[in-house]
Amino acid sequence: MRSKRLELMDQISAYIDQYYCERQTTPSVNEVALGVGVSKATAYRYLVAMDERGMLEYDGSSRTIVTKLISKFSTGSFSAPVVGAIPCGEPETEEENIVEYVSLPVSLFGHGDFYILKADGDSMTDAGIDNGDMVVIRKQSSANVGDIVVALDEHQLNTLKLYAGVDEETGEVILRYCNKERYPDKEIRVRELVVQGVAKHVIKALG
């Protein structure tokens, strides 16, 4: 058997994860092929190889349905609310309106309090978050430098930005845009900041 590219295996695994999170079912071989941009035959060969490595369970005889990762979703799931859009641009007034609930696997996200926000804007594209993507947020009040945070400033405005720490000279908290082409070196500086959560996963918008 020809050697398999680990990068493509990771892409296939990530696609199956995302597909399952969005639909609570698993994709067909053809959907996997379309999702990662390879032929159906290539997808089939990789799925067989990944099954042999124990990365997932695949019934190669059917050549239709991929069975979800062996242990990834075996420990149960929980419901996380989708609470509307989060501005990926200028801060906006926070409005939390639950749109729906989505089932998420405990073994992928761990235990904790999560919610899901739809990205609105293009300020975080360099961080892999595009307009329309769904961002899974773990509720927490602290963050490390480099985290993508949902932040509420002293004016009760919220936004999704990269937490860049505190300026030691001014004492200001720094939130940075992640789109060098459109917002070169742009940042937000505030005296007071409330962290409402940290981004843990991005579910890419379809299409």
Side-chain angles (χ1 to χ4, degrees), residues 127-195:
I129 302 174
D130 298 307
N131 186 51
D133 288 348
M134 305 300 287
V135 186
V136 180
I137 307 293
R138 180 194 291 273
K139 284 187 180 181
Q140 58 187 73
S141 59
S142 61
N144 297 316
V145 173
D147 284 344
I148 305 299
V149 301
V150 177
L152 186 69
D153 67 17
E154 67 260 35
H155 302 296
Q156 299 300 297
L157 303 177
N158 73 337
T159 192
L160 183 71
K161 293 292 179 289
L162 184 143
Y163 174 62
V166 179
D167 187 319
E168 294 183 358
E169 294 185 359
T170 65
E172 295 173 315
V173 179
I174 304 170
L175 296 173
R176 287 188 179 149
Y177 286 61
C178 293
N179 185 335
K180 290 184 179 180
E181 181 177 354
R182 183 164 184 180
Y183 306 104
D185 302 318
K186 187 171 183 178
E187 58 187 28
I188 298 171
R189 287 174 171 255
V190 295
R191 289 291 180 182
E192 296 182 8
L193 183 76
V194 176
V195 174

Side-chain angles (χ1 to χ4, degrees), residues 17-67:
D17 285 345
Q18 179 177 327
Y19 191 101
Y20 184 88
C21 286
E22 293 171 350
R23 300 171 176 83
Q24 287 73 60
T25 188
T26 53
S28 68
V29 177
N30 190 52
E31 287 171 322
V32 170
L34 291 173
V36 299
V38 299
S39 68
K40 186 175 179 179
T42 297
Y44 170 73
R45 288 197 302 270
Y46 270 77
L47 291 168
V48 170
M50 292 169 72
D51 177 79
E52 292 173 351
R53 293 186 179 206
M55 298 174 67
L56 50 76
E57 288 181 341
Y58 171 57
D59 180 3
S61 62
S62 68
R63 302 191 182 189
T64 53
I65 300 298
V66 177
T67 304

Side-chain angles (χ1 to χ4, degrees), residues 43-132:
Y44 170 73
R45 288 197 302 270
Y46 270 77
L47 291 168
V48 170
M50 292 169 72
D51 177 79
E52 292 173 351
R53 293 186 179 206
M55 298 174 67
L56 50 76
E57 288 181 341
Y58 171 57
D59 180 3
S61 62
S62 68
R63 302 191 182 189
T64 53
I65 300 298
V66 177
T67 304
K68 197 57 209 135
L69 301 181
I70 293 173
S71 60
K72 204 85 158 182
F73 296 94
S74 61
T75 56
S77 61
F78 60 92
S79 293
V82 178
V83 294
I86 181 73
C88 293
E90 298 302 322
E92 296 179 6
T93 303
E94 180 191 24
E95 292 184 3
E96 183 174 306
N97 297 308
I98 295 177
V99 177
E100 60 181 317
Y101 285 86
V102 173
S103 178
L104 299 176
V106 172
S107 50
L108 180 61
F109 294 95
H111 294 282
D113 194 358
F114 293 85
Y115 58 100
I116 300 173
L117 293 167
K118 183 177 182 180
D120 180 15
D122 60 1
S123 71
M124 301 302 293
T125 57
D126 292 347
I129 302 174
D130 298 307
N131 186 51

